[in-house]
Amino acid sequence: MIKRAFLPFIWIAVFSYFFILMIKLTWQYIPLRNDVAFLQIKQTEVNEIPLYLFFFYLHVYSALFVLMAGFTQFSNYILEKKINIHRNIGKFYVFVVLFLSAPSGFFIGIFANGGFYSKISFVTLSILWFYFTFKGFTSIKNKSLKDHKAFMLRSFALTFSAVTLRFWKVVLVYLFHPSPMDLYQIIAWIGWIPNLLIIEYHLYNQSKK
């Protein structure tokens, strides 16, 4: 019972830690430059794809807002006591994912490092992210609370891939020292599929109760 009571605090601590890391990573791109951090190895795209830099920055910056907005939606206090806040933040989350984050993720995914398999992964991720978010939104509009919760959990599982992708990158580099291209091909898939499997397992267990 005590352990269960501490779970929300553990979740907040873990999320906060990785969210701060995300802020630090994003801060590298302020002010706007095209030759820093990750962009150093994307100079071909930066110089030859006119819209690449625009969509890259759109994706990077919007991801922070989506992460924070999505995280607040799991607060029981907000759900029970501040339902209007839940709805307004939810609308913001849906808007940013559908019109900013997912489309920009799709675009830059086409040019992902790691070759064909990495590109397939990131493009698939962006399509599923858009679909789950859209279904979550339309479900609540149709008064289907169960479907709304399920699809929004799936949506946030993919949102959280921004964190887990970087987590797995650190772990794999520390343990196995793979080549950069091999690393991209691996984290392209394990950055989001385990997240989705965990949610599906959770939803399956909930359906059995």
Side-chain angles (χ1 to χ4, degrees):
M1 200 69 177
I2 295 177
K3 290 182 179 180
R4 182 173 295 181
F6 277 103
L7 282 177
F9 298 100
I10 295 173
W11 168 234
I12 290 172
V14 171
F15 179 85
S16 298
Y17 173 75
F18 284 106
F19 185 74
I20 290 171
L21 288 182
M22 287 289 294
I23 292 176
K24 289 182 177 180
L25 288 171
T26 306
W27 198 258
Q28 299 175 92
Y29 303 106
I30 301 174
L32 296 180
R33 291 176 57 187
N34 62 6
D35 60 350
V36 294
F38 177 74
L39 290 176
Q40 290 179 328
I41 60 172
K42 301 297 290 183
Q43 289 301 296
T44 299
E45 288 80 1
V46 168
N47 293 319
E48 297 182 6
I49 310 298
L51 292 176
Y52 183 85
L53 204 57
F54 169 78
F55 281 112
F56 174 82
Y57 278 118
L58 185 63
H59 188 72
V60 167
Y61 292 141
S62 64
L64 281 177
F65 295 103
V66 169
L67 267 173
M68 182 55 70
F71 178 72
T72 63
Q73 299 300 81
F74 298 97
S75 167
N76 289 329
Y77 173 77
I78 293 177
L79 281 169
E80 296 170 5
K81 305 293 185 180
K82 303 290 183 181
I83 189 64
N84 285 335
I85 293 178
H86 173 78
R87 288 170 178 163
N88 289 331
I89 294 178
K91 290 176 182 177
F92 172 80
Y93 174 90
V94 168
F95 175 85
V96 175
V97 171
L98 295 186
F99 293 99
L100 303 178
S101 300
S104 60
F106 180 90
F107 184 88
I108 64 177
I110 295 172
F111 307 99
N113 291 335
F116 176 76
Y117 294 109
S118 294
K119 294 175 182 179
I120 288 294
S121 176
F122 286 117
V123 167
T124 302
L125 166 59
S126 63
I127 292 172
L128 289 176
W129 195 18
F130 184 98
Y131 174 75
F132 291 149
T133 306
F134 179 75
K135 289 291 291 183
F137 177 72
T138 56
S139 295
I140 199 62
K141 286 293 183 181
N142 294 327
K143 311 297 182 183
S144 179
L145 185 59
K146 181 180 178 181
D147 286 344
H148 171 70
K149 289 181 177 179
F151 280 113
M152 293 314 290
L153 279 171
R154 294 178 178 118
S155 172
F156 190 72
L158 299 186
T159 298
F160 201 65
S161 68
V163 172
T164 52
L165 184 148
R166 288 163 177 82
F167 168 78
W168 284 117
K169 181 179 180 180
V170 171
V171 170
L172 291 174
V173 169
Y174 180 78
L175 293 178
F176 303 108
H177 310 289
S179 68
M181 289 302 108
D182 288 340
L183 177 64
Y184 281 117
Q185 289 179 341
I186 296 170
I187 63 173
W189 294 97
I190 66 171
W192 63 274
I193 288 182
N195 298 13
L196 202 53
L197 290 176
I198 290 170
I199 291 302
E200 293 300 335
Y201 179 73
H202 168 75
L203 292 173
Y204 174 78
N205 284 338
Q206 290 296 308
S207 69
K208 294 298 181 180
K209 293 182 179 180

